[in-house]
Amino acid sequence: MTALHMREGGPNDAPATLDLLDRATQWLVTNGRTGQWGSDPWSSQPASVRRIRRYTQDMTVRIAELDDTVVGVSVLSDQPQPYVAAATEQEMYIRLLVTDRALAGKAIGQALVSDARTQALRRGIGLLRTDCYNGDGALVHHYRKLGFRPTRSILVPTPGTEEPWPCQLLEMRI
């Protein structure tokens, strides 16, 4: 396998991002873990497609590639998700982090987090935050291994359902 290559992304990367999200969702469904994103492909949900298009147009998109194939995507913002209170200092927020599940264990997520740290340092930002699904704790554990520290748990209202989405906020000092 050749070396992982990082590059700046943009609107043209929306289809590849949706493809990774669809495959990650299918992996979650196969493993009985539908609480994170449900069971429908992202590309079949108009609101999700609009969200990814908005992300790739308006935010910093970082692409991980192997042999010119997109194998991971992170979306960075200076603002947290709408359901998260802003930090009391300047921050970089990882709005999305997804990797190719077929390449699990190849440290692609680690490389994207390292790249986010580098992007924050270039901007003089000392706080990197993100959030993730906290239904079974597995993803929180993974983010801890990537260097994040859990800070606060919240329940995010989910339109169309009575069940809120269990969310864990995490941070990393740079």
Side-chain angles (χ1 to χ4, degrees), residues 14-59:
T17 302
L18 286 164
D19 181 58
L20 283 175
L21 288 163
D22 284 352
R23 289 189 282 142
T25 300
Q26 183 56 50
W27 180 85
L28 288 166
V29 168
T30 299
N31 287 280
R33 297 170 61 190
T34 58
Q36 183 172 336
W37 289 334
S39 57
D40 296 331
W42 282 60
S43 61
S44 72
Q45 302 170 56
S48 295
V49 171
R50 285 191 302 275
R51 177 179 172 190
I52 296 306
R53 286 187 180 143
R54 187 178 71 251
Y55 278 9
T56 59
Q57 289 174 339
D58 300 340
M59 298 179 192

Side-chain angles (χ1 to χ4, degrees), residues 58-143:
D58 300 340
M59 298 179 192
T60 300
V61 179
R62 300 295 296 166
I63 303 293
E65 291 181 324
L66 282 174
D67 298 323
D68 297 321
T69 299
V70 176
V71 296
V73 176
S74 67
V75 176
L76 311 173
S77 177
D78 59 355
Q79 299 292 317
Q81 296 285 11
Y83 49 83
V84 175
T88 58
E89 64 187 273
Q90 187 177 11
E91 70 177 306
M92 180 170 286
Y93 202 95
I94 300 175
R95 290 275 193 110
L96 176 69
L97 180 69
V98 62
T99 62
D100 187 338
R101 296 306 310 153
L103 298 173
K106 302 294 183 190
I108 296 167
Q110 181 75 43
L112 285 163
V113 169
S114 179
D115 181 70
R117 288 175 52 98
T118 299
Q119 299 303 314
L121 281 172
R122 285 184 183 151
R123 297 179 193 176
I125 298 171
L127 177 63
L128 181 63
R129 291 199 309 159
T130 194
D131 66 84
C132 71
Y133 176 70
N134 191 18
D136 60 10
L139 197 51
V140 174
H141 177 73
H142 180 69
Y143 274 99

